[in-house]
Amino acid sequence: MIAVAVFNLEAVRLPKEANELRRQVRSFLRQELANGSFQPACDAWLGGFSEPFSKKLGDMGFVGMTWPREYGGHERSGLERYVVIEELLAAGAPVAAHWIADRQMGPLILRHGSTEQKQRFLPDMAKGISYWAIGMSEPGAGSDLSAIQARLTPVDGGFRLRGQKLWSSGAHRCQYMVALCRSADPGSDRHQGLTNVIVDLSDSAVEIRPIYLMNGEHHFNEVTFNDVFIPSAMVIGELGDGWRQVTEELAYERSGPERFLSTFPLLRSLSALLKDSAETYLQREIAMLVSELWSLRQMSLSVAAILNLGDNPVVEAALVKDAGTRFERKVTEVAERVARSMEGLPGNDSFQTLLAQAILHGPGFTIRGGTNEILRGIVARGLGLR
Ligand SMILES: Cc1cc2nc3c(=O)[nH]c(=O)nc-3n(C[C@H](O)[C@H](O)[C@H](O)COP(=O)(O)OP(=O)(O)OC[C@H]3O[C@@H](n4cnc5c(N)ncnc54)[C@H](O)[C@@H]3O)c2cc1C
């Protein structure tokens, strides 16, 4: 008999403080929009890299929100943070500079890093001035991370790192990367012998080469480590603990509202354009999208609540990302279908710009952070089906 597990997705109520916080973020965003500090964009959490904007958010206390005060954090709950990030995403604000540090690398260092690492790195992350890249994928290792080849070899005082990372978002503008590396041969378990290290990207032995998108945007990189010296103090946690750390990280990486809000500015623009349309079937399509969005938000909030309690909902996070990224694409498909009938309508220009961004970035939605095929495998395992 197949043992079918039940997903742990309880309904969540946001705390009262969240309402005030939401008002603050909205008022900040209104002001920034009025100042012309940004234009709403699709996928701005990955493509909208603005150091001044991230610093402003840091100054407002909107980065490192859940971290201890002693490391520059603000000791707010995960659900309060959720409200802030969903507002930023819904506005299409340029949050890419600090996004990875705030979502992933800060929490990783907080859980597994040394006191020295926490003191050295977390305060600047929380100020919105320290930017971090993810160094997981390699030319021969994406879905199967245990195949990575970047190699740490012990030397006096630390390690020598040799190897290559691929698709490293924003690495050309970040100060640091957390790189998953092989510190020992795998043996019978390929997940063993992996270690996370902090790499200073300004080191002259680190070579960062651009991989351009087809419109010329520079977002991705190929990062080569030519015998980079990694001091022992830059190893995160224990040697060989990398797989466990990465698996934990992925629940944060996969479950947040960025996994279904990347095309929200397009959805908002589309619904504004169709508000007074006589084509009720189009309005019905928008209504269906909005109701799906609402369900996804509830699922994602439930995962945030579990993470807030310190648990690691790997399967639920995979479910949110699979369904959420398919939704992001669906928004683009509906927008593409109705785009021709929008011509000449006021607001059409910004709609077309958002649509172009969504089309261009769309292929990555279901690939980055783990492809949907891989996620479904995780969900199937969680259900006891494999
Ligand atoms: C926009 C974007 C940003 C990214 N940013 C980063 C970053 O900052 N840092 C980083 O490290 N990586 C980053 N990546 C890389 C991303 O994580 C990998 O592309 C992804 O994990 C897939 O790996 P791969 O490209 O090697 O494809 P492969 O693993 O080669 O997969 C190719 C195809 O085979 C399928 N497949 C593979 N294995 C299985 C299986 N066991 N069962 C079923 N199907 C399978 C996959 O689903 C996919 O369709 C980014 C990718 C994108 C698109």
Side-chain angles (χ1 to χ4, degrees), residues 46 134 136-137 142-143 167-169 220 364 367-369 371 373-374:
L46 210 74
I134 305 172
M136 293 191 196
S137 309
S143 300
W167 313 125
S168 317
S169 302
F220 283 135
I367 298 175
R368 59 191 181 192
T371 68
E373 290 76 21
I374 295 298

Side-chain angles (χ1 to χ4, degrees), residues 33-261:
L33 275 171
N35 294 344
S37 93
F38 75 96
Q39 284 289 321
C42 285
D43 208 25
W45 68 270
L46 210 74
F49 201 108
S50 162
E51 289 94 339
F53 197 84
S54 286
K55 182 173 181 314
K56 274 187 211 169
L57 290 174
D59 292 344
M60 306 261 310
F62 291 154
V63 185
M65 286 181 68
T66 61
W67 307 348
R69 283 187 204 284
E70 63 173 315
Y71 300 126
H74 304 279
E75 300 187 3
R76 314 280 303 233
S77 70
L79 292 176
E80 288 174 286
R81 174 178 179 269
Y82 194 97
V83 166
V84 171
I85 63 172
E86 72 173 349
E87 288 298 328
L88 295 169
L89 292 163
V95 291
H98 70 277
W99 195 261
I100 303 300
D102 181 55
R103 174 186 76 185
Q104 210 162 326
M105 300 320 178
L108 173 73
I109 291 176
L110 204 50
R111 275 197 309 277
H112 300 288
S114 63
T115 305
E116 183 197 336
Q117 288 168 357
K118 291 176 197 172
Q119 287 171 342
R120 175 165 168 200
F121 297 117
L122 295 178
D124 280 354
M125 285 185 182
K127 284 182 195 153
I129 58 171
S130 177
Y131 314 128
W132 291 60
I134 305 172
M136 293 191 196
S137 309
E138 293 185 5
S143 300
D144 180 12
L145 276 182
S146 61
I148 61 166
Q149 303 277 323
R151 185 80 199 199
L152 289 169
T153 308
V155 291
D156 258 3
F159 299 86
R160 197 180 64 224
L161 170 58
R162 194 164 185 82
Q164 195 182 39
K165 294 289 170 185
L166 195 61
W167 313 125
S168 317
S169 302
H172 58 304
R173 299 182 75 174
C174 291
Q175 294 104 323
Y176 298 100
M177 168 186 275
V178 172
L180 184 67
C181 307
R182 192 151 276 297
S183 51
D185 290 333
S188 58
D189 179 354
R190 299 197 315 135
H191 299 152
Q192 281 178 1
L194 294 171
T195 297
N196 268 321
V197 293
I198 298 171
V199 183
D200 180 345
L201 292 175
S202 67
D203 191 307
S204 59
V206 176
E207 194 183 330
I208 303 176
R209 291 176 36 203
I211 303 172
Y212 295 104
L213 299 189
M214 61 182 166
N215 69 342
E217 247 178 76
H218 180 187
H219 160 78
F220 283 135
N221 299 280
E222 181 185 68
V223 179
T224 306
F225 307 122
N226 297 313
D227 290 334
V228 183
F229 175 66
I230 307 288
S232 299
M234 291 301 109
V235 171
I236 301 181
E238 300 290 320
L239 276 180
D241 197 31
W243 185 259
R244 185 171 70 95
Q245 294 175 11
V246 161
T247 319
E248 270 181 31
E249 229 180 280
L250 287 174
Y252 283 85
E253 186 178 344
R254 289 175 174 162
S255 62
E258 69 268 41
R259 298 308 183 178
F260 54 88
L261 289 177

Side-chain angles (χ1 to χ4, degrees), residues 302-321:
S302 306
V303 177
I306 303 171
L307 287 169
N308 200 32
L309 294 174
D311 286 341
N312 188 21
V314 172
V315 178
E316 288 83 354
L319 194 66
V320 170
K321 183 174 180 292

